[in-house]
């Protein structure tokens, strides 16, 4: 993308889950709809989105909790709870035009609320992410990427805002893109 260009990308998704196969979860009542817009300008990328889960069950996943890359709001917290409404914002800055090809920063924020849990009202969860990313731009190791990601989460359940499984963590993530 040339520096003077800007681009807008709109993504939407809808999932209607039903039981099938071995019926691991039993009867499933789960739907999810999402909408996300991403604006690209110069070295900046800004994404804003919303996801609404519907039904009495969590969004089903394989084996219980692997990443679900098709949900708009999937992050360290899954944001896949019954009736949850999630707003999310993500910003990425690419330093390639500042003499640091391959370096990027990432700031992210997710806020989910209206989660339906038996016997608890006013359930919510939020997550803040700061990341530094380096992807090898050329040479023998092109396609190798390293990311340091700091995540802070806060989950609250019930009218008294009882703490849930909140955490702070640092991750180092390594990926390698291989083209066949």
């Amino acid at each position: 993308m040339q520096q003077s260009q800007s681009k807008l990308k709109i993504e939407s998704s809808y999932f209607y889950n039903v039981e099938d196969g071995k019926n691991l979860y039993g009867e499933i009542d789960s739907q999810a709809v999402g909408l996300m817009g991403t604006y690209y300008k110069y070295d900046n990328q800004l994404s804003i989105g919303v996801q609404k889960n519907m039904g009495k069950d969590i969004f089903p996943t394989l084996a219980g909790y692997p990443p679900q890359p098709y949900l708009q709001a999937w992050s360290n917290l899954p944001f896949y709870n019954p009736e949850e409404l999630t707003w999310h914002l993500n910003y990425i800055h690419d330093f390639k035009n500042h003499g640091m090809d391959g370096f990027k920063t990432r700031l992210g924020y997710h806020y989910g609320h209206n989660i339906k849990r038996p016997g608890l009202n006013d359930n919510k969860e939020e997550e803040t992410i700061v990341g530094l990313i380096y992807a090898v731009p050329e040479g023998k190791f092109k396609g190798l990427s390293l990311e340091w990601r700091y995540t802070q989460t806060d989950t609250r359940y019930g009218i008294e805002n009882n703490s849930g499984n909140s955490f702070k963590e640092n991750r180092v993530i390594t990926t390698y893109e291989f083209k066949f």
Side-chain angles (χ1 to χ4, degrees), residues 18-160:
V18 295
E19 57 275 357
D20 197 8
K22 290 188 177 181
N23 212 3
L24 176 64
Y25 289 102
E27 185 178 326
I28 296 172
D29 177 18
S30 172
Q31 299 173 55
V33 62
L35 180 66
M36 182 169 65
T38 303
Y39 181 69
Y40 302 86
K41 181 76 172 181
Y42 302 115
D43 300 330
N44 303 293
Q45 174 182 329
L46 178 65
S47 299
I48 300 171
V50 62
Q51 175 180 293
K52 174 64 178 159
N53 300 333
M54 298 162 284
K56 62 179 177 53
D57 299 313
I58 66 167
F59 190 92
T61 59
L62 298 172
Y65 192 84
Q68 173 46 271
Y70 303 107
L71 288 176
Q72 298 287 346
W74 188 277
S75 192
N76 287 22
L77 292 176
F79 298 96
Y80 66 169
N81 293 297
E83 299 298 328
E84 184 170 16
L85 177 63
T86 305
W87 297 91
H88 52 99
L89 176 72
N90 198 44
Y91 172 75
I92 295 175
H93 183 78
D94 190 334
F95 287 92
K96 66 183 172 195
N97 292 317
H98 304 283
M100 297 190 306
D101 196 16
F103 283 97
K104 295 180 181 180
T105 58
R106 175 184 180 211
L107 302 172
Y109 179 76
H110 291 73
Y111 180 77
H113 60 103
N114 293 342
I115 301 167
K116 298 298 178 205
R117 294 175 61 97
L120 296 172
N121 295 319
D122 299 328
N123 303 294
K124 62 183 178 181
E125 56 188 2
E126 67 183 305
E127 175 180 273
T128 305
I129 296 173
V130 176
L132 299 174
I133 305 160
Y134 177 70
V136 178
E138 57 186 85
K140 188 175 183 176
F141 295 104
K142 183 178 180 177
L144 177 64
S145 179
L146 300 168
E147 177 181 359
W148 165 76
R149 183 185 298 172
Y150 172 78
T151 303
Q152 180 175 329
T153 68
D154 184 29
T155 56
R156 301 287 175 179
Y157 303 116
I159 294 172
E160 291 93 27

